[in-house]
Amino acid sequence: MIILVTSAEIDLMKDLRSEEYKKTIEWMEENASNYNVIWLECISEIEPSYLKGRFPCYCSKSHNPLYLNKGSNLGNSLKTFFNDCEVDDNLVIQITGRYHFLDTYFFDIINSNSGYDLYAKNDGHDQYFTGCFAIRKNYLIEWVNETDWDYLNYSMTNIEKSLWNFAKEKNLKCCEVNSIHMDCNIFGTGQMVRGIV
């Protein structure tokens, strides 16, 4: 299993964001040593300084500053990563690096319920929370390559709805979890909102 942790090096609240990333790094070092952890930097062309080489880092160099839809940039980064990198693992856990697990609950769900294509939380609006989800690698690659990220940006369709639509159109066998046990600090455009998912 690969854990793909994403980050976006931007100036908005940079110090606070860096602290959140550091918490995730520490959690991964303490709890995910049996997994293949990869850091995916979606904006900067260099490894973030807080990472300090603790995990392999891939800089996608695919950021489009004209996109208003952040999910479109994330989708393009995932697409670039899987097009450029050979990944042997069959299951991918994708998490937003600013969010961090409170415990191993999500991993325990995955390990005790094998055979699903997607492990995700419905956010209550017929969308899957994309701050953390697990998906079979072949489906993730199919999703990021089939999705028109330019159109998603233009139509302001969020990535959560895109993942939901893909899962339903492809008839993926989904394990919908009630909770992920994740602490989320959502920065948006500068207004912090903290919540547990």
Side-chain angles (χ1 to χ4, degrees):
M1 185 177 344
I2 182 175
I3 303 172
L4 192 57
V5 184
T6 62
S7 62
E9 282 293 279
I10 60 173
D11 291 330
L12 177 68
M13 304 177 91
K14 186 174 179 67
D15 291 340
L16 288 171
R17 293 168 68 91
S18 294
E19 289 305 311
E20 296 295 337
Y21 291 133
K22 288 176 187 175
K23 289 178 190 175
T24 297
I25 292 166
E26 290 170 12
W27 193 94
M28 290 294 163
E29 287 181 324
E30 292 172 13
N31 298 281
S33 60
N34 293 332
Y35 302 105
N36 183 12
V37 179
I38 306 289
W39 202 271
L40 173 59
E41 168 52 39
C42 299
I43 295 180
S44 175
E45 295 187 6
I46 58 171
E47 178 180 311
S49 59
Y50 52 77
L51 191 56
K52 298 179 181 172
R54 290 188 274 191
F55 298 111
C57 180
Y58 175 84
C59 299
S60 70
K61 302 175 188 167
S62 63
H63 178 72
N64 184 338
L66 300 177
Y67 277 178
L68 297 176
N69 186 337
K70 295 177 184 127
S72 291
N73 270 318
L74 174 59
N76 271 330
S77 290
L78 290 167
K79 179 179 179 178
T80 302
F81 173 79
F82 283 102
N83 286 339
D84 289 354
C85 301
E86 187 71 31
V87 176
D88 293 331
D89 304 82
N90 290 322
L91 189 70
V92 179
I93 297 178
Q94 193 270 301
I95 74 163
T96 299
R98 291 187 331 275
Y99 305 165
H100 35 277
F101 293 104
L102 300 171
D103 52 37
T104 60
Y105 176 80
F106 188 63
F107 296 85
D108 297 340
I109 291 285
I110 293 168
N111 290 325
S112 61
N113 294 281
S114 62
Y116 287 93
D117 302 315
L118 176 66
Y119 301 80
K121 180 175 181 2
N122 181 341
D123 71 0
H125 302 283
D126 291 339
Q127 307 178 126
Y128 287 127
F129 174 67
T130 56
C132 176
F133 64 96
I135 187 170
R136 298 271 166 225
K137 176 186 69 176
N138 58 314
Y139 287 122
L140 179 55
I141 291 170
E142 190 176 345
W143 173 51
V144 298
N145 281 301
E146 285 184 0
T147 301
D148 183 342
W149 299 107
D150 290 328
Y151 175 76
L152 219 69
N153 176 66
Y154 171 77
S155 66
M156 288 305 287
T157 303
N158 61 26
I159 195 168
E160 293 81 3
K161 189 64 174 177
S162 173
L163 179 59
W164 172 276
N165 290 343
F166 175 82
K168 299 308 175 190
E169 288 166 10
K170 300 296 180 177
N171 228 0
L172 300 190
K173 185 177 178 187
C174 182
C175 177
E176 289 194 0
V177 298
N178 294 332
S179 176
I180 296 176
H181 291 207
M182 180 169 263
D183 180 13
C184 303
N185 199 350
I186 303 164
F187 290 92
T189 57
Q191 301 294 333
M192 278 196 315
V193 178
R194 181 159 236 126
I196 304 297
V197 174

